[in-house]
Amino acid sequence: LPSYSVFRRFIKNLSNSFLKEIMKNQVNILKDLGFIDNKFISVDATPVKANTKFNNPKSFSNNKFSKNNPPSSDKDCKLGVHTANNSMNLHLSEDKTVNSKKNYEFYWGYKNHVICDAISGLPIAEFTTTADVNEVSNLTEILASTNEWFPLEGSYIIADKGYDSKQNHDFIRYTLKGHAFIALNKRGTKKHNLTSKGNVICDAGLPMHKDGKQYFDSYIKQKFCCPFRTSKDDSLCPCKHDKYFNGKKNRGCVKYITIGTDYRSSINRDSIFFKKIYSLRTESERYNSRWKNLNTEQAYVRNINSVTNLNTIGHICL
């Protein structure tokens, strides 16, 4: 066999477009044979850790997960966050803090985004990015790129909360003419206690009164006011709220509820139909598990072109 350096140069210098063409030909052949179609499409991403000591949990380097201290062994990798729960969007700030109560971990490396046939469990397309690329901002790009050679018009696109956004829903519905089955990401929205008629319950436990609406392009803000806002009696508020004694003509609390009017807000995620289609997303989890068995979750090369080529070869093998 040739030496390791020969393989290393080959995998680094080979253009990924050649491997992508091989994978496209495989997918098109499977499509013609009826093994793959575009009816149910599942999208997911999995982390690929860079080959650097900073990803070793036994490493005690100072500031090993600081943006200002990138690893010298792999200059292409970026700092990312991996979490087992996508109920919240995680964003890195300059001081590398993350506002989330979920279990997560920092890592230096890349991400591999995979589009699968949710029935056969076979990959259709894959893309490798650095770890700092957010899934929610990348979905339209990978769907549009795949749609150029594998038609996704009318497809049911299935994805987890990490891909939830108005832009992604509108692209699937109005550009691809398909349907989005993406779990809702509340992104820190306030949860109000409501009465059976939909009125907000204030801090004192009283139902608030509706007080007009504000209309915007894709949502409506319903305003609620204190039931005693015009009263002059200081003893009516059970909790003696500070805003009840604001000295203004209209006293008391004011709360708002946002009512979406776009496609994303119109989806009934509690319906049996939505849950049945969304359950097909587990096929992506199964495929990711098979792909990781090829030892692709840990990079053994130290540049993005080599990582990208090895990832594509892994998908071609599967």
Side-chain angles (χ1 to χ4, degrees):
L1 289 173
S3 66
Y4 176 77
S5 60
V6 175
F7 287 110
R8 185 174 59 185
R9 285 197 303 270
F10 173 77
I11 207 67
K12 179 179 179 180
N13 298 328
L14 178 67
S15 174
N16 186 251
S17 60
F18 294 118
L19 297 175
K20 283 286 197 295
E21 284 301 317
I22 294 175
M23 186 170 176
K24 288 179 183 178
N25 291 335
Q26 287 182 313
V27 172
N28 285 326
I29 291 173
L30 289 170
K31 177 186 173 186
D32 294 338
L33 293 174
F35 288 100
I36 288 178
D37 59 34
N38 66 344
K39 189 171 183 181
F40 301 98
I41 302 298
S42 181
V43 185
D44 201 6
T46 187
V48 179
K49 294 183 178 180
N51 188 2
T52 170
K53 67 177 182 179
F54 289 166
N55 286 329
N56 188 341
K58 296 182 180 180
S59 172
F60 297 101
S61 301
N62 293 329
N63 300 322
K64 65 178 183 177
F65 291 127
S66 171
K67 285 186 176 181
N68 300 323
N69 184 33
S72 58
S73 58
D74 189 345
K75 298 184 183 301
D76 294 336
C77 70
K78 300 294 182 182
L79 183 63
V81 179
H82 173 58
T83 176
N85 190 311
N86 285 321
S87 62
M88 296 185 68
N89 251 9
L90 299 178
H91 295 284
L92 288 172
S93 61
E94 291 300 325
D95 59 349
K96 67 178 179 57
T97 59
V98 173
N99 183 19
S100 174
K101 295 181 180 179
K102 304 297 180 181
N103 293 327
Y104 62 88
E105 65 173 355
F106 294 103
Y107 74 98
W108 289 98
Y110 308 89
K111 282 182 184 178
N112 188 247
H113 309 260
V114 188
I115 299 177
C116 288
D117 176 9
I119 301 300
S120 66
L122 294 173
I124 295 173
E126 59 87 26
F127 304 87
T128 299
T129 63
T130 52
D132 60 335
V133 175
N134 200 327
E135 290 95 328
V136 72
S137 61
N138 201 40
L139 181 61
T140 57
E141 180 181 350
I142 63 178
L143 289 178
S145 178
T146 305
N147 188 50
E148 293 177 357
W149 61 273
F150 186 89
L152 296 176
E153 287 83 0
S155 301
Y156 287 3
I157 309 295
I158 310 165
D160 60 24
K161 296 178 181 180
Y163 294 91
D164 178 34
S165 73
K166 178 181 180 297
Q167 178 185 359
N168 290 341
H169 279 84
D170 289 348
F171 179 82
I172 293 171
R173 186 70 190 100
Y174 303 116
T175 302
L176 297 180
K177 309 300 181 183
H179 296 277
F181 292 83
I182 303 176
L184 184 64
N185 192 338
K186 297 181 180 180
R187 290 187 178 88
T189 54
K190 294 181 180 179
K191 184 177 180 180
H192 298 289
N193 294 324
L194 304 177
T195 65
S196 58
K197 295 182 179 180
N199 289 43
V200 175
I201 299 176
C202 71
D203 297 343
L206 302 174
M208 304 180 74
H209 295 171
K210 293 182 178 180
D211 189 27
K213 298 177 180 179
Q214 293 177 284
Y215 292 87
F216 299 89
D217 291 338
S218 59
Y219 63 95
I220 300 172
K221 286 182 68 175
Q222 173 68 63
K223 181 181 179 181
F224 292 87
C225 65
C226 176
F228 309 121
R229 69 169 186 164
T230 59
S231 175
K232 297 181 181 180
D233 189 349
D234 293 341
S235 63
L236 291 179
C237 181
C239 67
K240 307 298 180 182
H241 200 283
D242 292 340
K243 291 184 178 180
Y244 189 71
F245 304 96
N246 56 16
K248 298 180 181 180
K249 179 179 179 181
N250 293 328
R251 64 199 305 178
C253 303
V254 175
K255 296 184 184 296
Y256 294 90
I257 286 183
T258 301
I259 306 169
T261 58
D262 56 356
Y263 169 65
R264 173 176 175 262
S265 303
S266 68
I267 299 174
N268 182 10
R269 293 173 176 82
D270 294 324
S271 66
I272 296 176
F273 176 66
F274 180 91
K275 292 180 179 179
K276 186 174 182 179
I277 301 299
Y278 184 77
S279 65
L280 296 175
R281 198 191 69 83
T282 55
E283 201 61 51
S284 282
E285 303 292 346
R286 295 190 191 98
Y287 178 78
N288 286 341
S289 179
R290 290 166 49 207
W291 186 72
K292 290 176 182 178
N293 283 336
L294 299 176
N295 292 329
T296 51
E297 190 176 18
Q298 174 66 53
Y300 294 97
V301 289
R302 290 188 168 102
N303 60 83
I304 189 170
N305 196 57
S306 297
V307 172
T308 302
N309 285 338
L310 288 175
N311 289 343
T312 306
I313 290 174
H315 293 293
I316 288 173
C317 292
L318 292 179

